[in-house]
Amino acid sequence: MTKQDVIKKAYEVSKEQYAALGIDTDAIVKKMNDVVISLHCWQTDDVGGFETPDSELSGGGIQVTGNYPGKASSIEQMRADLDKVLALLPGKQRLNLHAIYGEFGGKLVDRNEISIEHFQGWVDWAKERGMGLDFNATCFSHPRAADGFTLSSKNEENRKFWVEHVARCRAIAAEMGKQLGTPTVHNTWIPDGSKDVPVDRNGHRTLLKKSLDEAYAIEYPKEHMKDAVESKLFGIGAESMTVGSHDFYLSYAVKNNKLICLDNGHFHPTEQVGDKISACLQFVDEVLLHVTRPVRWDSDHVVTLGEDLQLIASEIVRNDFLSRVKIGLDFFDASINRVGAYVVGTRAAQQAFLIAMLEPTAKIKAMEEEGKNFERLAMLEIMKSKPWGAVWDYYCMQSNVPVAEDFIAEIQQYEDEVLTKR
Ligand code: RNT
Ligand code: ZN
């Protein structure tokens, strides 16, 4: 039997097993293309960006560790790596850019001077690939963020600078979405916070609200761009207070009809983002996810197929929320092959959605409503050992991308031929 025959045979058997539970695997394989994941560009270069030849991540309470060879140090290299990643993933993806990834032509263009011209190359690149773009203001790795405050700064000159930056990023996002015919989600995350116990939490939050109102003053058509705001619990160096907390941004999003961005590294470890989705969607139209893997803290490890991720995917699928939840990734690991990091992390996220789609939810829900809670528990456990892997392999084969471990050799080859030569 050829490899392909084995995959088909395993799929046929799994198809029967799922059919016995009333699940149509053929339809699900097709539906997987509705799971559009926005790839964060910053895993290619450890959140460095291209403002200067040696730009690197600084401040902001986020950290990259590791120095694995081969990181992208130009836009060309970044695009080559992203193309490699895209070739190894089934389904559809978008690209999520940060403002520090513009094409600045070797000139120093400060954040309050950027405009669409610096991102036109990316728009063209995305258009050629039939992809949508998402965008982020970059409110870190900058001298005006060095004291730990940006939009909530009491230094009026700095605050105005960041308001201008965010306003410009929104204009860029709107133009991206307009040209590409799919709305660009512009996400605002700021590092603002305090290492030690402050006495004026309220002052900074009043300033943040004011700055957001100013930066968001221009309304863009929602077919072009949508705003998201991302909260956080704490950052390194900002352990005692985060200005943009969840309470703050959820309230802001509800009041101003914005997307709330839920990063699953930004909550107390006993909280689950999967539980927050249906809570937030009672009050906001849409949610943006930053899917990541926090190991003990907001460590931004490569996503793997774990229980927290599964709850996120299951909650979205069970409630038919795919059109109301924008799925973005947010991890950066500099200690392993970076192309490999993307492929493992994105595939894990996709697999969680596939597993969610293969659940006989109506059956289990009926048990729940009848108070048959042992039966519900049993079914949820039984579903874990159903042959979803065979469906996944078949989906990859149908999508003409490497099946199972076959992508490892392809990435090793890319490392030998491209990454180690940098
Ligand atoms: C930081 C936030 C934010 C960043 C990116 C690079 O804690 O998660 O989303 O990771 O903007
Ligand atoms: Zn995030």
Side-chain angles (χ1 to χ4, degrees):
M1 258 202 290
T2 67
K3 227 174 177 173
Q4 296 209 330
D5 289 337
V6 175
I7 295 163
K8 270 191 205 140
K9 200 172 168 185
Y11 176 70
E12 290 307 325
V13 175
S14 67
K15 183 175 162 169
E16 303 251 328
Q17 281 187 263
Y18 283 109
L21 291 162
I23 295 163
D24 179 353
T25 51
D26 288 344
I28 288 168
V29 166
K30 286 203 187 89
K31 201 168 184 248
M32 274 299 287
N33 289 330
D34 296 348
V35 181
V36 180
I37 294 189
S38 192
L39 297 177
H40 56 310
C41 73
W42 48 94
Q43 166 70 71
T44 57
D45 79 326
D46 315 335
V47 209
F50 302 119
E51 285 178 317
T52 64
D54 51 4
S55 301
E56 55 178 48
L57 176 64
S58 67
I62 51 177
Q63 275 197 0
V64 172
T65 50
N67 57 358
Y68 198 82
K71 95 171 189 188
S73 52
S74 67
I75 296 221
E76 293 66 42
Q77 291 182 358
M78 188 174 187
R79 288 184 183 152
D81 292 355
L82 290 168
D83 272 330
K84 188 72 210 169
V85 170
L86 292 169
L88 299 174
L89 293 174
K92 273 194 191 160
Q93 286 81 37
R94 301 169 61 88
L95 179 67
N96 191 10
L97 290 170
H98 242 284
I100 45 176
Y101 292 92
E103 290 178 282
F104 303 118
K107 277 184 249 121
L108 221 146
V109 182
D110 210 348
R111 309 249 175 111
N112 60 346
E113 293 165 348
I114 58 168
S115 63
I116 186 65
E117 65 179 284
H118 306 111
F119 296 88
Q120 191 57 48
W122 279 114
V123 176
D124 298 340
W125 186 87
K127 198 173 232 164
E128 274 166 33
R129 285 154 186 78
M131 291 172 84
L133 287 178
D134 296 309
F135 201 51
N136 301 262
T138 311
C139 302
F140 50 84
S141 306
H142 191 280
R144 286 191 188 271
D147 67 356
F149 293 96
T150 63
L151 290 179
S152 78
S153 179
K154 292 190 178 185
N155 174 327
E156 185 61 7
E157 216 181 277
N158 284 350
R159 193 188 69 81
K160 281 257 162 67
F161 174 89
W162 291 112
V163 167
E164 179 65 22
H165 175 59
V166 174
R168 282 172 173 260
C169 286
R170 295 180 67 243
I172 293 167
E175 182 59 28
M176 285 173 164
K178 186 178 174 189
Q179 289 192 35
L180 294 170
T182 168
T184 290
V185 177
H186 174 264
N187 181 47
T188 301
W189 172 76
I190 58 163
D192 300 31
S194 163
K195 182 184 176 82
D196 223 326
V197 183
V199 291
D200 192 13
R201 296 166 193 261
N202 179 56
H204 287 289
R205 293 198 169 118
T206 304
L207 285 167
L208 177 53
K209 179 176 174 294
K210 180 178 170 197
S211 296
L212 292 175
D213 290 345
E214 289 170 11
Y216 295 163
I218 299 180
E219 290 258 1
Y220 295 99
K222 63 175 188 311
E223 302 75 51
H224 298 169
M225 74 87 70
K226 294 173 180 181
D227 290 297
V229 285
E230 181 180 4
S231 70
K232 187 158 172 163
L233 183 62
F234 79 97
I236 290 188
E239 292 85 355
S240 298
M241 189 268 297
T242 295
V243 183
S245 58
H246 185 54
D247 315 63
F248 179 93
Y249 279 127
L250 183 58
S251 310
Y252 193 87
V254 169
K255 196 160 183 181
N256 298 284
N257 198 21
K258 304 292 180 199
L259 277 71
I260 181 78
C261 172
L262 303 172
D263 179 313
N264 60 307
H266 292 186
F267 294 90
H268 188 280
T270 65
E271 288 184 79
Q272 288 177 302
V273 159
D275 180 59
K276 297 180 186 296
I277 295 168
S278 64
C280 294
L281 285 180
Q282 306 298 325
F283 303 100
V284 293
D285 293 339
E286 290 172 280
V287 161
L288 169 65
L289 294 180
H290 270 191
V291 181
T292 186
R293 179 165 51 111
V295 178
R296 301 188 189 283
W297 67 288
D298 181 32
S299 62
D300 293 291
H301 278 64
V302 177
V303 169
T304 54
L305 188 55
E307 211 170 344
D308 281 3
L309 172 63
Q310 191 57 61
L311 185 65
I312 291 172
S314 295
E315 278 295 304
I316 296 169
V317 171
R318 284 171 185 157
N319 298 297
D320 207 8
F321 283 155
L322 264 178
S323 61
R324 295 177 64 193
V325 179
K326 308 286 163 222
I327 310 155
L329 303 174
D330 185 11
F331 53 77
F332 28 99
D333 186 341
S335 74
I336 58 174
N337 180 304
R338 295 169 184 79
V339 170
Y342 276 113
V343 178
V344 170
T346 315
R347 283 185 174 224
Q350 292 176 304
Q351 287 175 342
F353 280 91
L354 176 66
I355 292 171
M357 289 181 191
L358 291 168
E359 177 185 88
T361 308
K363 266 197 175 68
I364 305 178
K365 198 169 152 200
M367 291 169 173
E368 178 167 295
E369 285 167 0
E370 286 165 32
K372 293 183 171 163
N373 292 344
F374 138 70
E375 291 84 346
R376 175 185 64 185
L377 181 65
M379 278 309 293
L380 289 172
E381 283 304 293
I382 286 161
M383 291 317 294
K384 290 181 182 169
S385 62
K386 290 286 172 195
W388 64 268
V391 183
W392 170 256
D393 288 349
Y394 180 75
Y395 173 54
C396 289
M397 190 175 83
Q398 293 283 88
S399 310
N400 292 314
V401 298
V403 174
E405 68 274 25
D406 288 357
F407 69 79
I408 297 176
E410 287 217 25
I411 292 171
Q412 285 171 336
Q413 193 187 342
Y414 186 72
E415 176 165 299
D416 291 346
E417 290 172 3
V418 181
L419 299 176
T420 51
K421 306 244 157 71
R422 286 178 181 167

